[in-house]
Structure formats: structure tokens, C-alpha cells
Amino acid sequence: MRLLLVEDTFDMAEAIMIRLERSGVACDLAKTLEQARACVEVQRYDVIVLDINLPDGLGTELLKEMRAAGDRTPVLMLTAEFSVDDRVSSLNSGADDYLVKPFDHRELEARIRALYRREQNDKAEELTLGNLTFNASARVVRQDDSPIDLTRREFSLLEILVRNRGKTVSKERLFDGVFSFQDTDVGMNALELYIARLRKKLAGCSVKIETQRGLGYKLDADA
């Protein structure tokens, strides 16, 4: 999952990013509306976490611009003061969810994953594909009853393939979902390395990662 966090409070932003990155989410940080606009212009995101009060304006300005342009990326609003009027205004502007500061980071992560699942048309948090069980919240992958040990990026890569099972996912989409802007020293070859490692770890499972030449990769859940 690739996420944009728009938050100008450094300590809060750092804590959120550390937690999410540990759970396999590739995070980009924007501290102003201008930076957020620049990110949205060049990168597709699975979820955006957007603070309302920013140094150069209101987060709802960006939200309205996105919706007016037809961008339906799920957006979760954050604010320190969230009256009923604020909530109604944010939802009417196109927000998908909101959270009032201070909040428990576990709840934030759960809400983010719920938005991501909804966008992928997956209601259940735990998915069973043949003898493979995948649970994003618990960060658990099992073959039958045996756990499969995956690194953070291997898990993130598998999640994208699982959420898009049966569909071809381009290398660019996979790369963008696993690596953030701060991974400036990482090239496309790294993605192929992670695919190879993931295939090896899933060797005994009834799902297979198929190469679609010139297009990308597909998780065959019917194998």
C-alpha cells in the first residue's frame, strides 16, 4: 500500500510513519498543501491521511480539488478540533473518514486498512486462497497451519497481489506500492528480486505468481 500523509507536526508525522512502515505501508510525507499537491500530481496513492490545519491553508482545499478533478482516492481527515460542523463539512467535501487528535495509532491503522479494503472490494480482513491464509492487520501469512515468515516489503508486495488476485498488476504499480519517495537508491531490479524471494517462500502454496511478459505479474489464486 502506498500512502500520503499530509501533516505538519513533526513528532506526530514521524510516529505515524514509523508505525505504518513497520506494517508494510510505503509512506510519503507532505508538510504543506503545496507539497501535498506536488505529490498527488506525480504519484497515485491507495489512501491519503490529510490534516485539516496546515501552514499554508486547509486540507479541505486539497480534498475539494481532488474530487473536482475526479480523483476518488480514499481520504481520512485529521484535526485537533473536530466539531459536528467540521465533520459534516469534511464529509460533504468528499472525505471518506475522519479521526480526531489525539488518537490511538492502532485505530488510525485499522481505519486506513478498512479504506484500502473497501477500495479493493475486500470486506474481510482475513482471506483464504487455497491453502494460503492472508491477514493484513495481524501481519500473518500461513500455508495450511504453518506460518510463512515474510519481510516488511515481501508482505507489502504480497498484499498488493492478493488484493488484485486474478488481475495483472504492472511492475510500476507494484514498485510504487512497495517503495516511497525516500527510497531514492532503489531501482526496478529490486522489485524483481523481491518477486523471486516471494515465489520461493510461497513454493508450497496453491497460489502462484505468474509473470505476464511486458505487462507485470498476476497472482493465480485458482492454481
Side-chain angles (χ1 to χ4, degrees):
M1 185 197 311
R2 184 74 173 266
L3 179 141
L4 174 62
L5 172 62
V6 187
E7 170 61 61
D8 66 313
T9 304
F10 176 77
D11 290 345
M12 175 173 289
E14 183 179 44
I16 291 173
M17 292 184 70
I18 288 174
R19 180 178 181 87
L20 293 179
E21 288 174 348
R22 283 176 178 170
S23 66
V25 179
C27 297
D28 294 324
L29 174 64
K31 299 178 181 179
T32 65
L33 275 179
E34 182 180 0
Q35 291 178 4
R37 287 186 179 109
C39 288
V40 171
E41 285 177 2
V42 300
Q43 179 61 51
R44 174 189 178 278
Y45 291 99
D46 296 301
V47 178
I48 295 176
V49 177
L50 179 60
D51 192 9
I52 285 187
N53 296 302
L54 296 165
D56 53 347
L58 297 176
T60 48
E61 295 177 33
L62 175 62
L63 177 60
K64 290 176 182 178
E65 292 168 8
M66 290 171 56
R67 297 310 187 228
D71 187 337
R72 308 312 302 171
T73 302
V75 174
L76 186 152
M77 303 296 296
L78 296 178
T79 188
E81 299 177 2
F82 227 4
S83 67
V84 173
D85 287 343
D86 289 328
R87 279 176 267 177
V88 171
S89 176
S90 296
L91 292 171
N92 285 342
S93 296
D96 298 273
D97 200 357
Y98 60 84
L99 200 55
V100 181
K101 301 175 184 177
F103 50 80
D104 190 308
H105 286 205
R106 293 172 299 176
E107 181 178 4
L108 174 62
E109 182 177 351
R111 287 175 179 266
I112 288 170
R113 291 200 174 279
L115 289 176
Y116 181 53
R117 289 199 310 274
R118 188 181 73 184
E119 191 69 8
Q120 301 296 321
N121 295 317
D122 271 327
K123 301 299 183 183
E125 184 61 22
E126 183 165 286
L127 300 172
T128 300
L129 308 173
N131 66 345
L132 178 76
T133 301
F134 178 89
N135 189 310
S137 293
R139 288 189 55 76
V140 171
V141 180
R142 297 191 306 273
Q143 175 190 339
D144 296 317
D145 294 324
S146 301
I148 299 175
D149 185 26
L150 300 180
T151 66
R152 173 176 61 86
R153 284 177 174 158
E154 288 168 353
F155 189 92
S156 182
L157 181 59
L158 179 60
E159 180 171 18
I160 298 171
L161 291 169
V162 166
R163 298 296 183 195
N164 293 277
R165 55 195 177 278
K167 303 176 184 177
T168 299
V169 185
S170 70
K171 290 184 178 181
E172 291 75 15
R173 172 72 182 90
L174 290 171
F175 185 89
D176 287 346
V178 175
F179 302 102
S180 63
F181 286 139
Q182 64 183 346
D183 298 312
T184 55
D185 58 339
V186 178
M188 193 63 73
N189 288 342
L191 175 66
E192 296 176 1
L193 176 62
Y194 279 106
I195 288 286
R197 291 177 177 175
L198 192 54
R199 277 176 168 153
K200 185 175 182 180
K201 292 184 177 182
L202 297 177
C205 297
S206 57
V207 300
K208 304 296 179 185
I209 301 175
E210 298 181 349
T211 300
Q212 307 295 302
R213 293 194 177 278
L215 298 174
Y217 298 95
K218 180 177 72 171
L219 186 72
D220 185 357
D222 298 322

